[in-house]
């Protein structure tokens, strides 16, 4: 099917993750990140009471997921990923806005994240949504790449 012809507005839904979804998430994760999260890491998120883990579906297909932590009055975005075939269709924006909406409703004041300094699509995505670069964590990733810390108020 031509993905761009899909009616995202009527077919896209966000729901909480369940254990059985992790197989699908792992496939998307592996094609999307140089240092993908393992099954154990995803499973662990389900046990953390401060972690929020949601998936985005088109019909029954999982096409995206987002994980964000609430720690006191800050939200920390630890993972946002859209399946390769469904990028640049506004799905990342829907996932992020969903996380921001939940966070605001809980009176969370700020959202923070780390992004690889070479991940230009993600950096542009975050800037488009009001995130500003605050500082650099030198050689943060296993390949020695720097992390840019970005944040925005909610
Ligand atoms: C970052 C990511 C979640 C964005 O999701 P998406 O659904 O493609 O994003 P949207 O369609 O909602 O937003 C598009 C905007 O994001 C930015 N963007 C996304 N991909 C881009 C690309 N390949 N080149 C340039 N800008 C890009 C632009 O600001 C774009 O807005 P524009 O079309 O007005 O220029 C997605 O690219 C992804 O899953 N990447 C791999 C995983 C990843 O890097 N996650 C972030 C880790 S910190």
């Amino acid at each position: 099917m031509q993905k761009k012809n899909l009616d995202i507005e009527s077919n896209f839904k966000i729901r909480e993750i369940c254990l059985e979804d992790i197989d699908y998430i792992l496939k998307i994760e592996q094609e999307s990140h140089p240092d993908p999260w393992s099954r154990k890491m995803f499973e662990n998120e389900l046990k953390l009471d401060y972690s929020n883990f949601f998936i985005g579906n088109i019909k029954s297909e999982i096409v995206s997921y987002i994980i964000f932590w609430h720690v006191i009055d800050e939200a920390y975005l630890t993972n946002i990923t859209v399946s390769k075939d469904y990028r640049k269709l506004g799905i990342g924006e829907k996932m992020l806005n969903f996380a921001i909406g939940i966070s605001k409703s809980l009176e969370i004041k700020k959202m923070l994240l780390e992004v690889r300094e070479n991940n230009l699509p993600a950096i542009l995505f975050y800037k488009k949504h009001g995130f500003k670069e605050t500082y650099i964590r030198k050689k943060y990733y296993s390949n020695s790449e720097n992390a840019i810390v970005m944040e925005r108020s909610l």
Side-chain angles (χ1 to χ4, degrees):
M1 197 192 311
Q2 268 270 325
K3 310 292 189 208
K4 302 232 178 217
N5 291 340
L6 270 170
D7 182 357
I8 306 269
E9 286 311 315
S10 32
N11 292 314
F12 183 74
K13 302 253 172 344
I14 299 177
R15 66 162 169 82
E16 227 168 320
I17 180 100
C18 55
L19 200 56
E20 298 73 51
D21 298 322
I22 290 182
D23 280 341
Y24 301 95
I25 299 257
L26 277 171
K27 271 194 222 150
I28 302 174
E29 177 75 8
Q30 281 155 14
E31 69 173 23
S32 301
H33 297 275
D35 213 353
W37 286 29
S38 64
R39 175 184 297 278
K40 214 171 171 67
M41 288 165 80
F42 283 117
E43 285 177 357
N44 198 41
E45 293 295 316
L46 299 178
K47 299 179 197 148
L48 302 174
D49 58 1
Y50 52 83
S51 180
N52 303 274
F53 193 166
F54 291 88
I55 58 166
N57 284 313
I58 291 181
K59 302 197 173 168
S60 58
E61 185 181 356
I62 297 174
V63 297
S64 58
Y65 48 95
I66 190 164
I67 303 174
F68 52 104
W69 293 355
H70 285 153
V71 182
I72 313 178
D73 61 351
E74 291 184 350
Y76 181 48
L77 182 61
T78 61
N79 197 328
I80 177 169
T81 306
V82 176
S83 170
K84 266 190 176 154
D85 287 347
Y86 290 92
R87 290 186 193 155
K88 302 262 330 214
L89 297 173
I91 290 176
E93 175 170 297
K94 287 184 188 303
M95 298 301 285
L96 181 63
N97 284 341
F98 179 83
I100 288 173
I102 293 187
S103 302
K104 277 181 161 176
S105 74
L106 296 170
E107 304 199 353
I108 302 282
K109 302 287 184 229
K110 186 159 88 165
M111 184 172 274
L112 299 106
L113 57 92
E114 279 137 10
V115 58
R116 288 174 180 270
E117 69 175 358
N118 294 322
N119 189 352
L120 190 60
I123 294 168
L124 292 173
F125 172 77
Y126 294 132
K127 284 189 172 165
K128 183 178 179 182
H129 294 286
F131 287 84
K132 303 257 185 292
E133 299 182 8
T134 50
Y135 54 98
I136 305 283
R137 292 195 210 282
K138 293 267 181 212
K139 301 189 176 174
Y140 183 72
Y141 296 102
S142 60
N143 65 349
S144 294
E145 192 174 342
N146 295 337
I148 303 174
V149 179
M150 301 183 82
E151 62 178 67
R152 63 159 272 187
S153 47
L154 302 183

